Amino acid sequence: MLKIAVILGSTRQGRFGEKPARWILGELQKRQGVSAELLDLRDYRLPFFDQPVSPGWISEPYKDETVARWTKKIAAQDGFVIVAPEYNRSVGGEMKNAFDWVYREWNQKAVGFVAYGSVGGARAVENMRLIAVELQMAPVRHGVHLPMDLYFSMMKDEAPVDPARFAPVQQAADAMLNDVIWWSRALKVAREAAADAKAA
C-alpha cells in the first residue's frame, strides 16, 4: 500500500481549505492500493523554526514533542498532496514553517498541490515547487487551481461540501493524483532498492 497524506496547510479561523482538503482526500481514498490520511496543521502547532542547526544536518529529530510527531508523520508517507492558500503571492507561513522543520523525511517523495486564492493560488504553488525541489522531493506537473468563482461560491458552505461542486476541476484533480500515485510508487521502489543496497 502506498501511504499518501493530504496536508491541510492553513490554520486560520474560518479557513476555506478544509473543503478542498476533505474532497481531495476522498478522491485519494477511491484509489486502489492507496492508504490516505489527512494531516491538519492545526493538529501540529509547530513553533517557528529557530534551531542553530538545520534539519539536513542532524542525526535525530528535534526534541520538541510537536516537531517530533510531525517528523514521524512525514517519514511514514510515500507521497503528499498539499492543500494551501496563496498569501501575498506566496505560500502561507504555517506551511513554509512545516516544510522547514523537516528534511530527510521529505526526500525522494512525490508531491502534488491543490491551491486557492488569487489566480487560483498559482504563485503559492510555484513557490512550493521551488521549496520541494530544495527538499529533494518530486513535485508533479499537474495541479489543481480553484477558480475564484468556485472558491467564493463555496465560502459559506459547511464542510465537507458535496464533491460534485468540484466538478469544474475534477479532470485536473484526476491528472494530479495519477501523477502523485505513479511517482510515489516509483520512488518507493527506488528508496527501498537503495536501502537494500546500503544494507548489503
Side-chain angles (χ1 to χ4, degrees):
M1 292 287 284
L2 284 177
K3 294 182 178 180
I4 300 177
V6 173
I7 298 177
L8 178 44
S10 171
T11 62
R12 69 182 296 180
Q13 298 178 35
R15 65 186 178 182
F16 169 74
E18 191 163 340
K19 297 177 178 72
R22 293 195 179 280
W23 163 68
I24 205 69
L25 176 69
E27 295 301 301
L28 259 178
Q29 289 172 334
K30 295 175 184 177
R31 301 299 186 101
Q32 290 187 346
V34 173
S35 174
E37 67 174 312
L38 179 67
L39 300 183
D40 187 342
L41 291 188
R42 281 185 178 175
D43 298 326
Y44 298 88
R45 295 288 188 174
L46 299 163
F48 282 118
F49 183 78
D50 62 354
Q51 298 300 297
V53 180
S54 72
W57 296 96
I58 60 175
S59 57
E60 295 181 2
Y62 294 112
K63 296 185 183 302
D64 181 279
E65 185 272 336
T66 305
V67 173
R69 283 196 303 116
W70 177 246
T71 303
K72 186 176 180 180
K73 270 295 182 184
I74 299 305
Q77 311 305 321
D78 297 309
F80 305 92
V81 175
I82 297 175
V83 180
E86 178 176 316
Y87 295 157
N88 299 317
R89 297 187 175 230
S90 187
V91 62
E94 293 95 341
M95 191 62 236
K96 177 60 166 63
N97 194 48
F99 277 126
D100 290 345
W101 272 108
V102 182
Y103 183 71
R104 291 185 181 88
E105 291 78 7
W106 293 117
N107 292 178
Q108 287 89 49
K109 296 177 182 179
V111 59
F113 303 98
V114 177
Y116 55 96
S118 183
V119 295
R123 293 168 296 204
V125 170
E126 285 302 299
N127 190 234
M128 287 189 286
R129 288 182 191 279
L130 292 173
I131 294 167
V133 169
E134 185 62 24
L135 293 171
Q136 298 192 53
M137 302 178 78
V140 302
R141 178 184 183 276
H142 294 98
V144 180
H145 300 275
L146 300 178
M148 290 296 283
D149 58 343
L150 185 64
Y151 167 60
F152 283 129
S153 74
M154 289 191 286
M155 276 290 288
K156 295 183 179 179
D157 291 354
E158 293 185 7
V161 298
D162 181 353
R165 297 288 300 279
F166 291 96
V169 292
Q170 186 66 55
Q171 186 174 358
D174 290 341
M176 183 270 291
L177 292 180
N178 287 343
D179 284 353
V180 169
I181 291 168
W182 193 95
W183 280 103
S184 294
R185 183 172 290 115
L187 290 168
K188 180 182 176 73
V189 170
R191 289 195 312 273
E192 291 174 348
D196 289 345
K198 186 176 181 180

